[in-house]
CSV table of all heavy atoms in Angstrom, one decimal:
chain,number,residue,atom,x,y,z
A,62,HIS,N,82.7,-66.7,72.1
A,62,HIS,CA,82.2,-67.8,72.9
A,62,HIS,C,82.5,-67.5,74.3
A,62,HIS,O,83.3,-66.7,74.7
A,62,HIS,CB,82.9,-69.2,72.4
A,62,HIS,CG,84.4,-69.2,72.6
A,62,HIS,ND1,85.2,-68.6,71.6
A,62,HIS,CD2,85.2,-69.6,73.6
A,62,HIS,CE1,86.4,-68.7,72.0
A,62,HIS,NE2,86.4,-69.3,73.1
A,63,MET,N,81.8,-68.3,75.2
A,63,MET,CA,82.0,-68.2,76.6
A,63,MET,C,82.6,-69.5,77.1
A,63,MET,O,82.6,-70.5,76.4
A,63,MET,CB,80.6,-68.0,77.3
A,63,MET,CG,79.8,-66.8,76.9
A,63,MET,SD,78.2,-66.7,77.7
A,63,MET,CE,77.4,-68.0,76.7
A,64,ILE,N,83.2,-69.4,78.3
A,64,ILE,CA,83.7,-70.6,78.9
A,64,ILE,C,83.2,-70.7,80.3
A,64,ILE,O,82.8,-69.8,80.9
A,64,ILE,CB,85.3,-70.6,79.0
A,64,ILE,CG1,85.8,-69.5,79.8
A,64,ILE,CG2,85.8,-70.6,77.6
A,64,ILE,CD1,87.3,-69.6,80.1
A,65,GLU,N,83.2,-72.0,80.8
A,65,GLU,CA,82.6,-72.3,82.1
A,65,GLU,C,83.4,-73.6,82.5
A,65,GLU,O,84.0,-74.2,81.7
A,65,GLU,CB,81.2,-72.6,82.0
A,65,GLU,CG,80.3,-72.7,83.3
A,65,GLU,CD,80.5,-71.7,84.4
A,65,GLU,OE1,81.5,-72.0,85.2
A,65,GLU,OE2,79.7,-70.8,84.6
A,66,PHE,N,83.4,-73.8,83.8
A,66,PHE,CA,84.1,-75.0,84.4
A,66,PHE,C,83.3,-75.8,85.3
A,66,PHE,O,82.4,-75.4,86.0
A,66,PHE,CB,85.3,-74.4,85.3
A,66,PHE,CG,86.3,-73.7,84.4
A,66,PHE,CD1,86.2,-72.3,84.3
A,66,PHE,CD2,87.4,-74.3,83.7
A,66,PHE,CE1,87.1,-71.5,83.5
A,66,PHE,CE2,88.2,-73.6,83.0
A,66,PHE,CZ,88.1,-72.2,82.9
A,67,MET,N,83.6,-77.2,85.3
A,67,MET,CA,83.0,-78.1,86.2
A,67,MET,C,84.2,-79.0,86.7
A,67,MET,O,85.1,-79.2,86.0
A,67,MET,CB,82.0,-79.1,85.5
A,67,MET,CG,80.7,-78.5,85.1
A,67,MET,SD,79.7,-79.8,84.4
A,67,MET,CE,78.9,-80.5,85.9
A,68,ALA,N,84.0,-79.5,87.9
A,68,ALA,CA,85.0,-80.5,88.4
A,68,ALA,C,84.2,-81.7,88.7
A,68,ALA,O,83.1,-81.6,89.4
A,68,ALA,CB,85.7,-79.9,89.7
A,69,VAL,N,84.7,-82.8,88.3
A,69,VAL,CA,84.1,-84.1,88.4
A,69,VAL,C,85.1,-85.1,88.9
A,69,VAL,O,86.2,-85.1,88.5
A,69,VAL,CB,83.5,-84.6,87.0
A,69,VAL,CG1,82.8,-85.9,87.2
A,69,VAL,CG2,82.5,-83.5,86.5
A,70,SER,N,84.6,-85.9,89.9
A,70,SER,CA,85.7,-86.9,90.4
A,70,SER,C,85.1,-88.3,90.2
A,70,SER,O,84.0,-88.6,90.6
A,70,SER,CB,85.9,-86.6,91.9
A,70,SER,OG,86.7,-87.6,92.5
A,71,SER,N,86.0,-89.1,89.6
A,71,SER,CA,85.6,-90.5,89.6
A,71,SER,C,86.8,-91.5,89.8
A,71,SER,O,86.8,-92.6,89.7
A,71,SER,CB,85.0,-90.9,88.2
A,71,SER,OG,85.9,-90.8,87.2
A,72,TYR,N,88.0,-90.7,90.0
A,72,TYR,CA,89.3,-91.4,90.3
A,72,TYR,C,89.8,-90.9,91.6
A,72,TYR,O,89.6,-89.8,91.9
A,72,TYR,CB,90.4,-91.0,89.2
A,72,TYR,CG,90.2,-91.6,87.9
A,72,TYR,CD1,89.2,-91.1,87.0
A,72,TYR,CD2,91.0,-92.6,87.4
A,72,TYR,CE1,89.0,-91.6,85.7
A,72,TYR,CE2,90.9,-93.1,86.2
A,72,TYR,CZ,89.9,-92.7,85.3
A,72,TYR,OH,89.7,-93.1,84.0
A,73,GLY,N,90.5,-91.8,92.3
A,73,GLY,CA,91.2,-91.3,93.5
A,73,GLY,C,92.7,-91.3,93.2
A,73,GLY,O,93.1,-91.9,92.3
A,74,VAL,N,93.4,-90.7,94.1
A,74,VAL,CA,94.8,-90.7,94.0
A,74,VAL,C,95.3,-92.2,94.0
A,74,VAL,O,94.9,-92.9,94.9
A,74,VAL,CB,95.5,-89.9,95.1
A,74,VAL,CG1,97.1,-90.0,95.1
A,74,VAL,CG2,95.2,-88.4,94.9
A,75,GLY,N,96.2,-92.5,93.0
A,75,GLY,CA,96.7,-93.9,93.0
A,75,GLY,C,95.8,-94.8,92.2
A,75,GLY,O,96.3,-95.9,91.8
A,76,GLU,N,94.7,-94.3,91.8
A,76,GLU,CA,93.7,-95.2,91.0
A,76,GLU,C,94.2,-95.1,89.5
A,76,GLU,O,94.6,-94.0,89.0
A,76,GLU,CB,92.3,-94.7,91.1
A,76,GLU,CG,91.7,-94.9,92.5
A,76,GLU,CD,91.5,-96.3,92.9
A,76,GLU,OE1,91.2,-97.1,92.1
A,76,GLU,OE2,91.7,-96.6,94.1
A,77,ARG,N,94.1,-96.2,88.8
A,77,ARG,CA,94.3,-96.1,87.4
A,77,ARG,C,93.1,-96.3,86.4
A,77,ARG,O,93.1,-96.3,85.3
A,77,ARG,CB,95.4,-97.4,87.0
A,77,ARG,CG,96.6,-97.2,87.8
A,77,ARG,CD,97.5,-96.0,87.4
A,77,ARG,NE,98.6,-95.9,88.3
A,77,ARG,CZ,98.7,-94.8,89.0
A,77,ARG,NH1,97.9,-93.8,89.0
A,77,ARG,NH2,99.8,-94.7,89.8
A,78,GLN,N,92.0,-96.6,87.1
A,78,GLN,CA,90.7,-96.7,86.4
A,78,GLN,C,89.6,-96.0,87.2
A,78,GLN,O,89.7,-95.8,88.4
A,78,GLN,CB,90.3,-98.1,86.2
A,78,GLN,CG,91.2,-98.9,85.3
A,78,GLN,CD,90.7,-100.3,85.1
A,78,GLN,OE1,89.6,-100.6,85.4
A,78,GLN,NE2,91.6,-101.1,84.5
A,79,SER,N,88.6,-95.5,86.5
A,79,SER,CA,87.4,-94.9,87.1
A,79,SER,C,86.8,-95.8,88.1
A,79,SER,O,86.7,-97.0,87.9
A,79,SER,CB,86.5,-94.4,86.1
A,79,SER,OG,85.3,-93.9,86.7
A,80,THR,N,86.4,-95.3,89.3
A,80,THR,CA,85.7,-96.1,90.3
A,80,THR,C,84.2,-96.3,89.8
A,80,THR,O,83.5,-97.2,90.4
A,80,THR,CB,85.7,-95.5,91.6
A,80,THR,OG1,85.0,-94.1,91.5
A,80,THR,CG2,87.1,-95.2,92.1
A,81,GLY,N,83.7,-95.5,88.9
A,81,GLY,CA,82.3,-95.6,88.5
A,81,GLY,C,81.4,-94.7,89.4
A,81,GLY,O,80.3,-94.4,89.1
A,82,GLN,N,81.9,-94.2,90.5
A,82,GLN,CA,81.2,-93.4,91.4
A,82,GLN,C,81.6,-91.9,91.0
A,82,GLN,O,82.7,-91.4,91.2
A,82,GLN,CB,81.6,-93.6,92.8
A,82,GLN,CG,81.4,-95.0,93.4
A,82,GLN,CD,79.9,-95.3,93.4
A,82,GLN,OE1,79.0,-94.5,93.5
A,82,GLN,NE2,79.6,-96.6,93.3
A,83,VAL,N,80.6,-91.2,90.4
A,83,VAL,CA,80.8,-89.8,89.8
A,83,VAL,C,80.2,-88.9,90.8
A,83,VAL,O,79.1,-88.9,91.2
A,83,VAL,CB,80.2,-89.7,88.5
A,83,VAL,CG1,80.4,-88.2,87.9
A,83,VAL,CG2,80.8,-90.7,87.5
A,84,ARG,N,81.1,-87.9,91.2
A,84,ARG,CA,80.8,-86.8,92.0
A,84,ARG,C,81.0,-85.5,91.4
A,84,ARG,O,82.1,-85.2,90.8
A,84,ARG,CB,81.5,-86.8,93.3
A,84,ARG,CG,81.3,-87.9,94.2
A,84,ARG,CD,82.1,-87.9,95.6
A,84,ARG,NE,83.5,-87.7,95.4
A,84,ARG,CZ,84.1,-86.6,95.7
A,84,ARG,NH1,83.5,-85.6,96.5
A,84,ARG,NH2,85.5,-86.5,95.5
A,85,ILE,N,80.1,-84.5,91.4
A,85,ILE,CA,80.3,-83.2,90.9
A,85,ILE,C,80.9,-82.4,92.1
A,85,ILE,O,80.2,-82.2,93.1
A,85,ILE,CB,79.0,-82.5,90.4
A,85,ILE,CG1,78.3,-83.5,89.3
A,85,ILE,CG2,79.3,-81.1,89.9
A,85,ILE,CD1,79.1,-83.5,88.1
A,86,THR,N,82.1,-82.0,91.9
A,86,THR,CA,82.8,-81.3,93.0
A,86,THR,C,82.8,-79.7,92.8
A,86,THR,O,83.0,-79.0,93.8
A,86,THR,CB,84.2,-81.8,93.3
A,86,THR,OG1,84.9,-81.6,92.1
A,86,THR,CG2,84.2,-83.2,93.7
A,87,LEU,N,82.5,-79.3,91.6
A,87,LEU,CA,82.3,-78.0,91.3
A,87,LEU,C,81.3,-77.9,90.1
A,87,LEU,O,81.6,-78.4,89.1
A,87,LEU,CB,83.7,-77.2,90.8
A,87,LEU,CG,83.5,-75.8,90.3
A,87,LEU,CD1,83.2,-74.9,91.5
A,87,LEU,CD2,84.8,-75.4,89.6
Side-chain angles (χ1 to χ4, degrees):
H62 61 278
M63 300 176 289
I64 62 169
E65 191 43 280
F66 298 92
M67 286 184 84
V69 180
S70 175
S71 66
Y72 287 75
V74 170
E76 297 289 326
R77 302 290 171 245
Q78 295 184 13
S79 173
T80 62
Q82 302 294 336
V83 177
R84 293 181 310 118
I85 304 296
T86 57
L87 174 68

